[in-house]
Structures are given as C-alpha cells and as structure tokens.
Amino acid sequence: MTTHEREGERPPLGRSLLESEAMTSDWAPTYEAVPRSAFLPDLIWPHDMETGRSVAVSKASDPAAWQGYADSNVPIVTQWDDGEHSGTEPGDESTSSASMPSVVFSMLHDLDVQPGSRVLEIGTGTGWNAALLAHRLGSVNVVTVEVDEAVAASARAALKRFGLHAKVVHGDGFRGHPEGAPYDRVIATCGLRSIPFAWVEQTRPGGVIVAPWGTHFSRQDAVARLVVSKDGEQASGLFTGLVEFMKLRSQRRPPVVHAEYVPGRVADGDETSTKITEEEFVREKFNAHRFALGLRVPDCCQVVAYKRDGARPVWFYGLSDRSWACAMFRDGAEARVWQGGPRRLWDEVEEAHRWWVGHGEPGHSRFGLTVTSDGHQAWLDKPSDRWPLTAA
C-alpha cells in the first residue's frame, strides 16, 4: 500500500488490529481516543511496505495522503541522521520514527499493565506510545526518556497539546531514570544489543521489562519479555516476536569496511566448500534462523548480498578481530567458501546452522534471555540450559 486506504477497500485499522490480534480489546478504547496523527510532524517519511522505500509526504501539500499514512499500519520515519538532515529526500540513516501500530500494541500487550502501574519508557520518539500509556494509566504514572533533545521537546509539546502530561526526560535511556524508580513496567522502543542491568534494578520484583533485543549478527531484533526475579538479581523470559527497530544510539555498530577485512582477493583466503544450499541458509527476513545464528556465533556480522547471474555471496565479518568468511552460493552447484583471519567464521556459522536444524528449527518463541549484573545468557526452552552472550 502506497497511499491512504480508500473507504470500503479494507476495514479500519483499529478493527484490523483487533481481528489480527495485534491489539487486544482492552487497548481498543485508548486506540480510539489517542490517534497517532496527533503526534506526527507535518513532514513524514512513511515506509512503503511494497517497495521497501521511504517517501516524503507533506501534510500541507497532500493532507489526504498524510492522514492516510498516519492511519495505516506502516512505520513512519520522523527524523534522519540525528537531526542533521534537511529537505524532503530521505537521509542516510533513519534515527527516529513512529512504529507500526501493530508492533506498538503487540508490545503493549506484552507489557501487561495493570491499573496504577508505573511505567518507564525508553525512547520517547513522537510521544504516541507514552500518550497511549498515559491515557490508560494516568499521566502521573508514565515517565519517558529520550536521548535527542529536539525529539524530546517535540514529544513534550505534542503531549501537552493533547492534554496528557507524562513526564518527558531528556537523557540517556541506558541509565533508565533512577529518580522515579521503582517501576512496575519498563518498555523500550529502540533496538538493544545489551539490556542494562540498571533497568532491572529500577524495576520492582515481579515487574516486567519489554525490549527489542538482538545481536550484531544482523539488524534483526526479537521482543524480549523479561520478568524480574523476587530477589531482584535477574530478569528472565521468552521472546515474543521478531521485529526490527532503530538501535539505541550508544549501541549502534559502525558500518563494516570490507577492504579492512579483505584488502586483496577473496581467493587469498583458505578455500573449502559446504553442502548447505542457498535455500536452506538464506531465509526470509523475519525468520528465526538468522536470529538463532546470532545467538550461537558471537562477535560476528552477516551481510547477504544481492543475487546476480545465479550467484549469491554471503559475507561474515568478525567484530573483535579481522576474521572474515564468504560463502558463494550458486544455482545447481556446491557452495564454495573462503575464510581468512584467526577465526574460521564459516565453520562457526555452519556449526550453528546445524545446531539449529538439529533442534527442529526452533522459532523465536522457544528462545529466551536472562539478564544479570554479570551479563546476558540465552537459552532454548529451559532457562537452566544457558549459554553466555558477548556484551555489546
């Protein structure tokens, strides 16, 4: 869909969210009372789900399209390049947005707020998520932290205009907001590579932390729903859904520079082969395969290149050294593999792939995460069977 939905073509978004079970009925009155459009700027860049591109839409020049996107289940970029961008063309990197309503309400369902719950939100963005919480729980029970001063000011103004007065704090969300602790719930609206133990410390025993989390293996995240233990020494729980969020600014990974890993020819690496096929290995974007490999292969980044003339290279780069690997999948032929550096990254990846297949190709909901003061541990099915994860 590239423009607003014409009446009669599809059911209204609220009904669609309910029918798809992305939104539960207890959130429906708040959805109706707090429109996303009240928190969007006049110039937005909706993400076109068909083309994968973001296009500028101005409320002043095309109010119908602007409203249509505001009322659609699409993510909307509201800032590029940490605010350094100007003009209508998309910038280099999207750095603030309004998430898809289906993702917003799915995460709010995971949060499981109760009357009187005190909530800390990390990543204010437009302020819509904070507004939904404030409408449901009362403004006095919601604190939201935003690292970008201009974004925080805009959200604060939008909340005030709407008559909701959640506390908007300009600061580093990685620290949480200890002044307002303890909280019953913590929710992050940015992707994490390390969940700070400060959030656990600021949450009551039995409280819930909901955060998109993943590894640097890809940009993919999964929503972790963690429950703080009675002694407050850990938070643990399963993943509920695969998503992709803009990353917490302090945890962004700089782009890989290929020439720093492979200054010469790929053929200079050690050559082997693999019987794993492209179909087995290169899965669709929101598939647990890539997420699982990231859990099993630490300090590694994967880059899947475009397919040309029947060949698709998949690259792997070590993030703690200059190890690299390339698997060249080709139609109808056994894949060739080249590796260089102190680690044999493809060997590690292939072992992780076979581990995943050997365990029945588990989906994201069978994986879990435990956060302690010593770091993170992932697990499959049972929290007692943990393996450590490298910190971001």
Side-chain angles (χ1 to χ4, degrees):
M1 180 178 58
T2 57
T3 60
H4 67 289
E5 298 170 347
R6 288 186 290 273
E7 186 175 355
E9 284 190 352
R10 293 170 59 89
L13 180 58
R15 193 171 68 188
S16 296
L17 295 174
L18 287 170
E19 290 175 352
S20 67
E21 299 183 347
M23 181 173 69
T24 51
S25 59
D26 57 322
W27 278 103
T30 293
Y31 169 80
E32 295 294 338
V34 185
R36 182 165 71 155
S37 58
F39 297 85
L40 294 174
D42 289 349
L43 180 62
I44 59 176
W45 290 266
H47 182 77
D48 190 300
M49 304 301 286
E50 293 179 356
T51 66
R53 300 176 58 191
S54 295
V55 293
V57 178
S58 168
K59 187 176 182 179
S61 60
D62 195 343
W66 186 96
Q67 187 65 51
Y69 277 116
D71 295 335
S72 298
N73 192 32
V74 297
I76 295 174
V77 176
T78 55
Q79 184 199 69
W80 297 92
D81 304 329
D82 295 332
E84 297 299 319
H85 168 270
S86 61
T88 59
E89 290 299 315
D92 294 326
E93 182 175 9
S94 54
T95 50
S96 192
S97 70
S99 299
M100 294 175 67
S102 58
V103 173
V104 169
F105 284 100
S106 177
M107 290 177 63
L108 289 174
H109 171 68
D110 290 341
L111 199 64
D112 187 28
V113 295
Q114 303 298 319
S117 291
R118 298 195 66 252
V119 179
L120 172 65
E121 179 192 39
I122 308 299
T124 310
T126 65
W128 185 48
N129 202 67
L132 294 168
L133 287 164
H135 180 271
R136 177 82 181 264
L137 302 172
S139 295
V140 70
N141 287 319
V142 180
V143 178
T144 178
V145 182
E146 171 59 52
V147 69
D148 188 298
E149 186 172 10
V151 172
S154 178
R156 190 180 294 114
L159 283 159
K160 183 178 180 181
R161 284 196 305 270
F162 201 76
L164 296 169
H165 300 279
K167 184 179 180 63
V168 179
V169 177
H170 169 229
D172 182 1
F174 193 79
R175 294 182 56 251
H177 185 63
E179 295 84 349
Y183 303 97
D184 300 293
R185 302 288 188 268
V186 175
I187 183 170
T189 60
C190 51
L192 280 294
R193 294 297 172 260
S194 175
I195 295 176
F197 193 67
W199 297 1
V200 180
E201 294 176 313
Q202 293 172 32
T203 306
R204 298 181 191 275
V208 175
I209 299 171
V210 173
W213 179 92
T215 67
H216 285 304
F217 193 80
S218 72
R219 291 187 60 83
Q220 188 180 78
D221 310 302
V223 177
R225 186 184 189 276
L226 311 178
V227 178
V228 177
S229 61
K230 291 181 179 179
D231 59 10
E233 295 298 316
Q234 68 174 34
S236 188
L238 291 164
F239 293 99
T240 65
L242 293 173
V243 293
E244 187 176 306
F245 272 75
M246 297 174 188
K247 305 305 176 268
L248 186 78
R249 291 194 184 183
S250 62
Q251 294 184 7
R252 291 177 187 164
R253 177 182 57 79
V256 167
V257 180
H258 178 81
E260 294 179 358
Y261 288 83
V262 190
R265 300 179 309 150
V266 174
D268 293 336
D270 299 328
E271 184 175 351
T272 57
S273 63
T274 180
K275 294 188 180 300
I276 298 174
T277 66
E278 178 186 0
E279 183 180 11
E280 291 175 299
F281 193 82
V282 182
R283 309 286 178 125
E284 61 271 19
K285 183 176 181 180
F286 290 105
N287 182 281
H289 177 258
R290 193 174 300 184
F291 180 72
L293 294 190
L295 296 178
R296 301 294 295 185
V297 185
D299 296 322
C300 179
C301 168
Q302 173 185 267
V303 177
V304 180
Y306 290 109
K307 191 169 186 175
R308 294 182 179 177
D309 300 324
R312 184 197 299 276
V314 180
W315 291 91
F316 306 91
Y317 302 95
L319 300 179
S320 56
D321 56 33
R322 284 293 181 259
S323 297
W324 62 271
C326 176
M328 180 66 74
F329 296 100
R330 188 178 293 278
D331 292 343
E334 189 173 79
R336 300 169 69 188
V337 176
W338 295 269
Q339 303 183 79
R343 294 172 65 184
R344 288 296 178 261
L345 285 180
W346 172 256
D347 294 351
E348 294 182 35
V349 169
E350 183 167 3
E351 181 182 357
H353 169 83
R354 297 196 184 284
W355 174 90
W356 182 71
V357 172
H359 283 78
E361 301 190 2
H364 63 274
S365 59
R366 284 179 58 190
F367 288 99
L369 185 71
T370 297
V371 179
T372 69
S373 59
D374 294 326
H376 298 55
Q377 298 87 41
W379 39 273
L380 177 67
D381 296 329
K382 296 187 296 183
S384 57
D385 296 338
R386 306 178 189 174
W387 63 86
L389 297 164
T390 304

